[in-house]
Amino acid sequence: MELEAAKPIEEQEKERPHLGLVCMTFSEEVRFRTITRTRYLKLSEEEQKGTLRDLYSDNLRRLFTALDYCEQHAIKLYRLSSALFPMSDEDLGTSVLLEMKDELAKVGERANRNGMRIVIHPDQFVVLNSDTLRVIETSIKILEKFALQLDLMNLPRTNWTVMMIHGGKSNKSDLLVETILSLPENVRSRLAFENDEYAYSAAQILDVCHRAKVPMVFDLHHFVVNEKLDSYEHPSVGEMLKAAQTTWPVPEWQLVHISNGKESFNDRRHSGFITVVPSVLKDAPWIEVEAKNKEQAIEQLRADWPLAD
């Protein structure tokens, strides 16, 4: 598969960009189990506990399979599934997780030993600037759940291990910044914000990130959709990539997202492969590949883009 030509890619002296796998493989090799809340609530408390123990243990084994896969394919960036430990925001789920702390700690030990970066993208229900206080409180509880998981995995409380979310309610930047600054340290130290297609443009999220002193994850496809651009080669794409990097205390840890439109350039839905590579990506150290074909898209991108790692 040939890539559409962008600008010529010059040879680089620096380390090549790392491409990241998002959650699971397109094949059946890496898959995780789950349970619906409806089914879960039909169980007795004892059955709930047994079910969560079995599910969490199995998903942890599957996570190690994912780490095996990444190591075998020299993938240094991996996004955890936000559904890895269902119901862990409840007391019962938390207690089951705590029982597994020794096994969970091996995740971080292994990642650190192999120089692998692990990140997570909590679900869309996290809205830190909602008009409803209860929604904000629930969102904070969800983030605390993920922060606990990362703590139990012995993953650092730094921007190396980011929890990335979207801006939430539009035109509520002040409340968003206020809420970010009030978050617990194990949440705030890992938090990052991603621009989206509609509610928060890249410029708006950049402003929030500077004010709240958290990093910005620049999503190039969200950017071109929001700005109604017809090419990744528009000068504003490179300008925003550089501006977003200024929010990272360690610039070499900057994380970006790349995807292509499924049916057209501005289609917000993700395509199976990356067939248009923005030339500015040569300056992005860590790139999550948000393509439907996941590991196949990474393999294709490595084959067709000389700078990919």
Side-chain angles (χ1 to χ4, degrees), residues 49 53 56 85 88 90-105 145 148-149 151-153:
K49 191 167 189 176
R53 278 175 172 159
Y56 290 5
F85 302 116
S88 60
E90 299 184 355
D91 290 343
L92 184 59
T94 298
S95 69
V96 173
L97 270 185
L98 291 172
E99 291 175 3
M100 301 168 57
K101 63 180 183 180
D102 291 341
E103 285 301 304
L104 285 163
K145 170 191 77 171
L148 174 63
Q149 291 176 18
D151 281 343
L152 292 174
M153 291 178 185

Side-chain angles (χ1 to χ4, degrees), residues 215-247:
M216 173 182 169
V217 175
F218 180 43
D219 188 302
L220 282 75
H221 192 63
H222 289 342
F223 181 73
V224 298
V225 171
N226 181 275
E227 300 291 328
K228 298 180 174 59
L229 302 179
D230 59 7
S231 171
Y232 288 118
E233 300 310 312
H234 192 279
S236 62
V237 179
E239 291 165 2
M240 185 53 68
L241 179 71
K242 291 178 181 177
Q245 190 173 56
T246 67
T247 66

Side-chain angles (χ1 to χ4, degrees), residues 43 52 66 174 197 235 250 290:
L43 304 174
L52 292 184
D174 290 344
E197 302 104 318
V250 181
E290 294 189 320

Side-chain angles (χ1 to χ4, degrees), residues 176-191:
L176 181 56
V177 172
E178 179 183 330
T179 305
I180 296 168
L181 294 175
S182 71
L183 292 171
E185 188 272 336
N186 67 334
V187 173
R188 192 176 65 255
S189 61
R190 297 182 174 116
L191 198 62

Side-chain angles (χ1 to χ4, degrees), residues 5-242:
K7 292 182 180 178
I9 300 175
E10 297 146 8
E11 287 192 6
Q12 302 295 303
E13 296 298 326
K14 64 180 183 178
E15 188 174 20
R16 297 184 298 173
H18 297 290
L19 303 182
L21 177 65
V22 175
C23 301
M24 62 189 70
T25 55
F26 182 73
S27 69
E28 292 298 314
E29 190 162 348
V30 177
R31 283 287 187 269
F32 298 98
R33 291 173 53 199
T34 190
I35 184 172
T36 65
R37 187 169 290 272
T38 300
R39 181 183 161 209
Y40 175 77
L41 292 176
K42 289 180 180 178
L43 304 174
S44 68
E45 184 172 337
E46 193 59 34
E47 289 173 327
Q48 288 176 347
K49 191 167 189 176
T51 297
L52 292 184
R53 278 175 172 159
D54 176 64
L55 194 154
Y56 290 5
S57 294
D58 195 20
N59 276 355
L60 186 56
R61 284 193 293 272
R62 292 168 188 244
L63 175 57
F64 281 113
T65 299
L67 298 183
D68 287 340
Y69 182 91
C70 288
E71 289 171 16
Q72 291 162 8
H73 294 82
I75 295 172
K76 294 290 188 179
L77 172 62
Y78 178 67
R79 183 195 294 182
L80 293 171
S81 168
S82 61
L84 197 60
F85 302 116
M87 264 59 76
S88 60
D89 55 333
E90 299 184 355
D91 290 343
L92 184 59
T94 298
S95 69
V96 173
L97 270 185
L98 291 172
E99 291 175 3
M100 301 168 57
K101 63 180 183 180
D102 291 341
E103 285 301 304
L104 285 163
K106 293 177 183 177
V107 175
E109 292 165 8
R110 181 166 171 181
N112 293 336
R113 184 170 64 248
N114 293 293
M116 185 180 297
R117 187 176 187 183
I118 295 179
V119 300
I120 193 166
H121 198 326
D123 55 46
Q124 60 185 342
F125 302 110
V126 175
V127 180
L128 296 177
N129 53 357
S130 171
D131 293 324
T132 306
L133 179 60
R134 186 170 61 82
V135 173
I136 295 176
E137 292 172 342
T138 300
S139 298
I140 293 173
K141 186 176 181 181
I142 291 171
L143 291 177
E144 289 176 331
K145 170 191 77 171
F146 288 119
L148 174 63
Q149 291 176 18
L150 299 176
D151 281 343
L152 292 174
M153 291 178 185
N154 270 353
L155 293 168
R157 292 185 178 185
T158 68
N159 308 134
W160 177 258
T161 309
V162 290
M163 300 191 297
M164 59 201 113
I165 61 175
H166 292 287
K169 186 79 173 178
S170 59
N171 301 314
K172 303 270 287 187
S173 295
D174 290 344
L175 178 57
L176 181 56
V177 172
E178 179 183 330
T179 305
I180 296 168
L181 294 175
S182 71
L183 292 171
E185 188 272 336
N186 67 334
V187 173
R188 192 176 65 255
S189 61
R190 297 182 174 116
L191 198 62
F193 282 83
E194 176 189 350
N195 56 297
D196 62 69
E197 302 104 318
Y198 305 117
Y200 279 88
S201 69
Q204 290 170 318
I205 281 296
L206 179 67
D207 176 65
V208 167
C209 289
H210 277 306
R211 291 165 60 194
K213 293 182 171 54
V214 294
M216 173 182 169
V217 175
F218 180 43
D219 188 302
L220 282 75
H221 192 63
H222 289 342
F223 181 73
V224 298
V225 171
N226 181 275
E227 300 291 328
K228 298 180 174 59
L229 302 179
D230 59 7
S231 171
Y232 288 118
E233 300 310 312
H234 192 279
S236 62
V237 179
E239 291 165 2
M240 185 53 68
L241 179 71
K242 291 178 181 177

